[in-house]
């Protein structure tokens, strides 16, 4: 277990200056996947539609093949279980994503939340907390929610 934790922390620390751009991209993908998984884990019940929404978001965001997205979700679930906070993930996203990319990510997160047909208070809180850490303006956050809500057919 200690080796696993060390590996996780090694992944979350900023890559050295000579680090390969591919490794930095993988770390960004992992951070993004962890945020999506956090929404999926937020409510008490698990729904297959939520996992499908996470996989679809990762495939859309990073143009990943199905097997690559599935492996990334596995890694993200493990990282989310071991993480003590979200800051290490959101700070990586803040470094690399511009506001339009963050908004697209928030919209994907709302889709995950609505995938089971029910929005729990805990899902809403997790989304609000992540949006705040990503410095997403309140109005843009609400519009992303409305777009996802309309797409899901939720009232």
């Amino acid at each position: 277990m200690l080796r696993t934790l060390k590996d996780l922390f090694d992944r979350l620390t900023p890559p050295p200056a000579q680090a390969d751009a591919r490794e930095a991209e993988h770390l960004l993908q992992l951070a993004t996947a962890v945020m999506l998984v956090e929404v999926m884990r937020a409510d008490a019940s698990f729904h297959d539609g939520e996992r499908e929404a996470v996989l679809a978001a990762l495939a859309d965001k990073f143009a990943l093949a199905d097997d690559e997205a599935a492996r990334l979700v596995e890694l993200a679930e493990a990282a989310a279980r071991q993480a003590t906070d979200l800051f290490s993930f959101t700070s990586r996203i803040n470094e690399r994503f511009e506001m339009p990319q963050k908004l697209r990510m928030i919209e994907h997160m709302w889709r995950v939340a609505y995938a089971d047909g029910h929005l729990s208070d805990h899902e809403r809180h997790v989304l609000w907390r992540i949006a705040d850490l990503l410095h997403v303006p309140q109005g843009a956050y609400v519009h992303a929610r409305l777009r996802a809500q309309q797409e899901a057919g939720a009232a």
Side-chain angles (χ1 to χ4, degrees):
M1 178 161 160
L2 289 176
R3 179 72 181 150
T4 304
L5 287 173
K6 183 188 179 322
D7 290 343
L8 174 66
F9 289 122
D10 288 345
R11 277 193 215 121
L12 297 178
T13 55
Q18 71 274 16
D20 162 70
R22 185 178 169 116
E23 177 67 17
E25 180 67 14
H26 287 296
L27 292 172
L28 177 64
Q29 290 173 354
L30 178 62
T32 303
V34 168
M35 297 299 95
L36 291 160
V37 164
E38 278 299 304
V39 175
M40 182 176 73
R41 294 173 4 116
D43 60 6
S45 63
F46 175 77
H47 188 270
D48 286 337
E50 292 172 322
R51 179 174 296 282
E52 291 169 15
V54 170
L55 291 168
L58 292 171
D60 175 62
K61 192 97 180 128
F62 298 110
L64 298 175
D66 291 345
D67 61 329
E68 293 173 318
R71 178 67 181 131
L72 183 55
V73 170
E74 289 174 17
L75 292 171
E77 287 174 326
R81 280 191 300 272
Q82 295 176 354
T84 57
D85 66 18
L86 301 176
F87 181 76
S88 58
F89 302 107
T90 57
S91 63
R92 181 167 307 282
I93 293 166
N94 281 327
E95 289 171 6
R96 300 282 308 275
F97 281 173
E98 297 296 325
M99 188 55 67
Q101 294 167 302
K102 291 179 191 180
L103 293 174
R104 183 79 174 141
M105 183 179 144
I106 293 293
E107 194 170 325
H108 279 301
M109 291 170 65
W110 278 116
R111 287 187 184 117
V112 172
Y114 282 115
D116 62 359
H118 170 74
L119 180 65
S120 73
D121 289 338
H122 196 69
E123 286 172 317
R124 185 180 292 118
H125 176 74
V126 166
L127 266 154
W128 171 80
R129 211 172 63 171
I130 293 170
D132 188 50
L133 288 169
L134 294 176
H135 314 292
V136 172
Q138 183 67 21
Y141 167 79
V142 170
H143 282 103
R145 176 184 176 183
L146 293 173
R147 285 189 301 273
Q149 186 177 27
Q150 182 179 17
E151 182 179 302

